[in-house]
Amino acid sequence: MTAGTVIDLTMDDHEEAAEVLTAAFLSDPLMTFLSGDSPAGHTACTAALMRLSITYRLHLGWPALGIRGTDGRLEGVIGLSAPGPTPQSPVVDALNAWYRETIGPEAAARYAEYGHAAHIGEPDVPHHYVGVIAARPDLQGRGLGRKLLVAARDAALADPSSQGLWLDTSTTKNVAFYKGSGYDVVAETTLGNTKVWGMYHSLDRT
């Protein structure tokens, strides 16, 4: 395996992947909204969400990809949801229950509110959802995110049912970044003082 190669993550990678995601998302405005006044605290709430986000995707066999550097560290992570509803799974149910218990009822209510807002304007066609994407904070700006988005697009193209990719972001600078990768803003909403943009990338299969 050469440095910078995108790899398929396995369940053995879930803890390191969650650590990469947590480090990157701690400063994200959405995490501040979601954690609120949770007794668990901001860091614990963020870590719990990142562990949930990557673990259930790995369990379901949905695309979960990473980039590993020459030093062996996982440098970047992206996790997708496949088109259609989430399959019924006792493992996923247990993960969701663990997450709600970890963050507490008020933060869980905020997460439910976000879950609705994140899909406002989402196209009514089969598509992949970019649930999480991040590079280690000390490695941001080196093209890792763009490489992961290309890999996500390839994964979506490999699924004949998928017509595009959807994502949401609450960071202004990320809007321009995603636009540069072919995503268009199709929805805007506000959660408390946090603005959320919904963005869509339509797949060209010609």
Side-chain angles (χ1 to χ4, degrees):
M1 180 182 66
T2 58
T5 300
V6 177
I7 60 172
D8 291 317
L9 299 178
T10 71
M11 195 61 76
D12 289 341
D13 300 309
H14 82 279
E15 289 189 4
E16 187 180 10
E19 181 237 320
V20 171
L21 292 166
T22 300
F25 273 90
L26 277 175
S27 60
D28 191 288
L30 179 62
M31 297 302 108
T32 300
F33 169 79
L34 290 177
S35 59
D37 297 324
S38 169
H42 177 77
T43 299
C45 285
T46 302
L49 179 55
M50 296 305 115
R51 179 178 288 270
L52 169 72
S53 297
I54 198 65
T55 304
Y56 85 78
R57 288 182 167 89
L58 286 167
H59 168 72
L60 293 173
W62 286 347
L65 310 167
I67 298 175
R68 198 170 289 283
T70 54
D71 59 359
R73 288 194 312 163
L74 197 58
E75 297 181 337
V77 175
I78 190 168
L80 308 180
S81 296
T86 301
Q88 293 294 313
S89 165
V91 173
V92 173
D93 290 344
L95 284 168
N96 282 321
W98 165 81
Y99 175 64
R100 291 192 297 270
E101 182 179 355
T102 299
I103 64 176
E106 291 185 9
R110 286 172 176 257
Y111 181 66
E113 184 180 354
Y114 159 68
H116 171 72
H119 298 287
I120 292 175
E122 190 170 4
D124 189 22
V125 296
H127 60 273
H128 282 74
Y129 171 58
V130 182
V132 284
I133 176 173
R136 288 187 181 273
D138 61 321
L139 298 176
Q140 291 176 5
R142 301 188 184 185
L144 295 171
R146 202 166 299 280
K147 180 176 282 191
L148 289 168
L149 286 176
V150 170
R153 182 178 179 275
D154 290 344
L157 282 169
D159 182 341
S161 73
S162 184
Q163 297 184 37
L165 298 103
W166 172 266
L167 59 79
D168 60 89
T169 182
S170 59
T171 305
T172 305
K173 67 177 182 179
N174 284 349
V175 173
F177 169 70
Y178 292 129
K179 282 183 177 179
S181 292
Y183 289 77
D184 297 312
V185 174
V186 297
E188 296 181 16
T189 189
T190 302
L191 295 169
N193 295 321
T194 302
K195 192 170 184 177
V196 179
W197 291 267
M199 305 186 71
Y200 186 68
H201 175 50
S202 180
L203 292 175
D204 181 3
R205 294 184 176 275
T206 59

